[in-house]
Amino acid sequence: GTGVRGISINTESGNRVVGMVCFEPDDTKDILVLSENGFGKRTDLNEYTPHHRGGKGMTTMKITEKTGKMVSIQAVDDSDDLMIINRSGITIRTSVSDIRVAGRATQGVKVINLREGDSLIKVAKDTGEAILLVSRMGMSIRFALDTIPTQGRVSAGVKCMQVDDDDEVIWAGQLGDTEQMVLFSERGYAKRLLAVDFEKQNRNGKGVRSFNF
């Protein structure tokens, strides 16, 4: 069926749903939000009051031309480390505790220094597993987590994948050796792969081709 409306969105303004977090009623985690231009902040979960389905919701981040659109949401606490990945293949590994807690309707603080034309695409909590980056043109690279140094907030990060001028990183995550994944293309093709098929390499390489178009 068509389902039911969970949130009212003015799509003509370019607004879209970008993510979701799930939690128990007594959870004490914070909600971490990050924008495409590298701004982020944490907000106490209790600042998000329950609403009925179909409402507009409430402001969680002050979005401006400076911040860019919100692109990533995570439920976190001070013990978590984060992997912040950019389209250019640059990654920063930092502690959640370096990002201050702020009210909902605030801009947040600069979390990563981006080069001109670059933007943030993915934020993931550190699970200790190897990291896999996948580019739009079907290239992939998998490397050990300990090759990325932990840095403070507002650092430039380190290069983890060499991408061509007409390419960009579009997905990043951590995969254990026993895990599998499925890649999907815009033309409707899918490819199921084993994590072990991607040998761990030194970061900052071009990687290997995982999808032939």
Side-chain angles (χ1 to χ4, degrees):
T2 58
V4 295
R5 182 166 295 281
I7 186 172
S8 295
I9 293 177
N10 180 7
T11 55
E12 293 181 358
S13 68
N15 201 13
R16 299 288 189 276
V17 173
V18 296
M20 179 180 72
V21 294
C22 300
F23 53 88
E24 297 293 336
D26 58 350
D27 210 321
T28 59
K29 290 183 178 295
D30 295 329
I31 300 299
L32 173 73
V33 295
L34 291 107
S35 73
E36 61 183 345
N37 291 342
F39 284 80
K41 69 183 184 70
R42 292 189 290 156
T43 301
D44 191 311
L45 180 59
N46 290 324
E47 289 204 28
Y48 296 88
T49 55
H51 288 70
H52 292 296
R53 176 184 59 78
K56 183 180 179 181
M58 56 181 65
T59 301
T60 190
M61 187 178 197
K62 185 178 180 181
I63 298 299
T64 65
E65 184 177 345
K66 182 179 179 181
T67 64
K69 297 178 181 178
M70 198 166 73
V71 296
S72 187
I73 307 99
Q74 291 281 341
V76 299
D77 58 37
D78 281 342
S79 65
D80 290 324
D81 279 348
L82 298 174
M83 309 299 299
I84 303 173
I85 300 97
N86 302 341
R87 294 185 185 279
S88 64
I90 291 175
T91 300
I92 181 174
R93 181 182 178 189
T94 191
S95 173
V96 167
S97 60
D98 286 340
I99 304 172
R100 67 180 178 88
V101 177
R104 284 188 298 100
T106 55
Q107 176 179 275
V109 296
K110 195 76 170 176
V111 176
I112 184 172
N113 282 324
L114 296 171
R115 298 176 182 176
E116 185 176 355
D118 201 2
S119 61
L120 187 153
I121 61 154
K122 175 77 174 180
V123 178
K125 287 192 288 188
D126 176 8
T127 65
E129 299 288 358
I131 302 168
L132 177 72
L133 303 185
V134 180
S135 81
R136 187 174 300 280
M137 300 305 292
M139 301 299 292
S140 301
I141 187 169
R142 185 171 178 241
F143 51 90
L145 175 68
D146 58 13
T147 63
I148 301 180
T150 300
Q151 299 175 301
R153 184 176 61 80
V154 200
S155 60
V158 295
K159 191 74 170 177
C160 291
M161 185 178 191
Q162 294 289 341
V163 292
D164 294 334
D165 292 340
D166 61 346
D167 200 5
E168 62 182 0
V169 176
I170 52 108
W171 187 89
Q174 292 180 271
L175 270 73
D177 289 341
T178 61
E179 295 186 86
Q180 301 181 22
M181 64 180 185
V182 182
L183 296 180
F184 298 89
S185 75
E186 293 177 339
R187 295 295 181 93
Y189 289 87
K191 189 173 184 180
R192 183 175 175 179
L193 300 162
L194 304 177
V196 291
D197 286 341
F198 297 90
E199 293 184 3
K200 294 176 187 176
Q201 303 178 30
N202 295 326
R203 65 171 176 82
N204 200 25
K206 288 185 65 69
V208 296
R209 182 160 296 282
S210 54
F211 219 132
N212 285 318
F213 298 118

